[in-house]
């Protein structure tokens, strides 16, 4: 028993930090949205209000929070993506130095929690100040964008081609647990202790997250001959070199498959990010839900997603040994059905049926990462994700796209935003079908890729699944 425990602890790496980071990030995200909403909708408040009392103008607060999502946070997301692109290139050239990129977003949480405490204490400060300080904290630390790519790259580093889909599936499960804890706890915590103490709690938890990353995240870096200079960080030639590596002749005709998978990753991220940003305001605007109702619903929804993620990684990938393309087709189809469900939902009980079809939420994106990473060696993962980041620069458009549709249709068809998700989900399924078919045709011609994993005891050669 003790040996099994020691082995389990040895295998723990990025998972605790992933769960804690996302939980804290989402608690602060919901709290900050409510902070801005409450400051706008209460005309004469000079101190933190009682959330159990109704707003003076609820609609005005909802529209302001949606406006912030489509302006301030769109700029933030775009700049964070640019920083992520250069950071991943630097990481490869510096000898697979992943840990600095894992720690940096956690420092962003610490800055945001301090900013939230200050804006809660000085309630008379404009909600624009709260939005601006959050944006600055995210930009200088990479935010959730850097966290997602850096953590995924690290998981690819510590796994071989055969186990990567399962390991990324487990990573998705821990992300989902973080989403569940964050979304699920946000409303209850905020209603129980108020804005100031919620941000203070997040500050303490952020320090614990940093400590867990320092303890469990192992060093996978390798020595390099040329030392990286700080002023060379934003070198545009790195981006050019990254494209040369990712779409080199060594990859052959599989470049088309990789391109389709990168587009899939971008579109899935686009839809999931857009829906997540607007879900709370959508439920509050259409069904008049408050924080606690939203938290309960999210707990119910993400419990199903956790079950689906575990089923995908353990049963479908490990035991059934299903091809990544087939898993992607199944998950994309389920996402499409779920989006249609949200589109046509008109009663509260309808909302509790939709998550039954949403159990593979986000799986299509994780599977695409596993799929395209198998065409490259470990010391190319940073450049690969840098190229993915270039494509992902369109993702900041998800915020204004979903928020603008919501603002324009709030009075007569607030579910209209899910029309965009339905269309994009259909495109994702078609791309998965095409990439799966093409990859199977090229499989017999596929070269053997040498797997380099510093966390494994031996190097070995594996065929790409």
């Amino acid at each position: 028993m003790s040996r099994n425990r020691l082995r389990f602890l040895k295998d723990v790496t990025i998972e605790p930090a992933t769960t804690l980071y996302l939980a804290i990030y989402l608690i602060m995200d919901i709290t900050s949205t409510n902070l801005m909403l409450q400051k706008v909708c209460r005309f004469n408040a000079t101190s933190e209000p009682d959330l159990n009392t109704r707003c003076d103008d609820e609609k005005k607060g909802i529209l302001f929070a949606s406006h912030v999502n489509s302006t301030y946070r769109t700029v933030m997301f775009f700049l964070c993506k640019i920083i992520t692109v250069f950071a991943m290139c630097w990481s490869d050239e510096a000898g697979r130095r992943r840990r600095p990129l894992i720690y940096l977003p956690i420092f962003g949480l610490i800055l945001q929690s301090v900013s939230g405490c200050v804006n809660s204490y000085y309630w008379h400060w404009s909600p624009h100040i709260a939005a601006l300080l959050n944006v600055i904290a995210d930009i200088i630390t990479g935010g959730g964008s850097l966290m997602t790519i850096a953590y995924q790259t690290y998981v690819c580093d510590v796994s071989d081609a055969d186990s990567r889909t399962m390991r990324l599936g487990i990573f998705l499960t821990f992300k989902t647990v973080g989403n569940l804890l964050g979304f699920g706890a946000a409303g209850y915590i905020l209603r129980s202790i108020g804005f100031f103490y919620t941000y203070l709690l997040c500050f303490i938890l952020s320090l614990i997250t940093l400590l867990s990353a320092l303890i469990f995240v192992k060093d996978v870096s390798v020595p390099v001959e040329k030392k990286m200079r700080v002023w060379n960080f934003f070198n545009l030639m790195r981006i050019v070199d990254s494209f040369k590596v990712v779409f080199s002749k060594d990859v052959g005709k599989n470049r088309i498959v990789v391109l389709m998978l990168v587009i899939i990753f971008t579109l899935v991220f686009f839809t999931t990010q857009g829906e997540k940003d607007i879900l709370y305001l959508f439920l509050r605007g259409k069904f008049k839900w408050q924080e606690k109702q939203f938290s309960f619903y999210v707990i119910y929804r993400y419990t199903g997603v956790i079950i689906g993620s575990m089923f995908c990684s353990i049963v479908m990938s490990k035991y059934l040994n299903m091809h990544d393309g087939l898993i992607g087709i199944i998950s994309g189809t389920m996402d499409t059905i779920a989006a249609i469900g949200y589109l046509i939902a008109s009663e509260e009980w309808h909302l509790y049926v939709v998550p039954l079809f949403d159990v593979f939420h986000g799986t299509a994106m994780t599977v695409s990462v596993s799929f395209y990473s198998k065409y490259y060696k470990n010391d190319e993962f940073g450049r690969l994700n840098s190229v993915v980041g270039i494509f992902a620069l369109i993702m900041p458009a998800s915020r204004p796209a979903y928020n603008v549709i919501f603002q324009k249709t709030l009075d007569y068809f607030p579910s209209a935003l899910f029309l965009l998700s339905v269309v994009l989900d259909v495109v994702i399924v078609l791309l998965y079908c095409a990439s799966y078919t093409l990859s199977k045709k090229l499989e017999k011609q596929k070269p053997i890729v040498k797997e380099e994993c510093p966390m494994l005891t031996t190097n070995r050669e594996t065929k790409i699944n």
Side-chain angles (χ1 to χ4, degrees), residues 345-360:
S346 57
E347 302 289 341
E348 288 193 14
W349 68 267
H350 295 165
L351 294 173
Y352 287 92
V353 176
V354 176
L356 299 177
F357 300 94
D358 202 22
V359 291
F360 292 135

Side-chain angles (χ1 to χ4, degrees), residues 61-77:
I62 291 175
L63 289 175
F64 177 81
S66 180
H67 171 71
V68 168
N69 278 341
S70 59
T71 52
Y72 287 99
R73 298 183 70 180
T74 299
V75 173
M76 173 205 74
F77 206 70

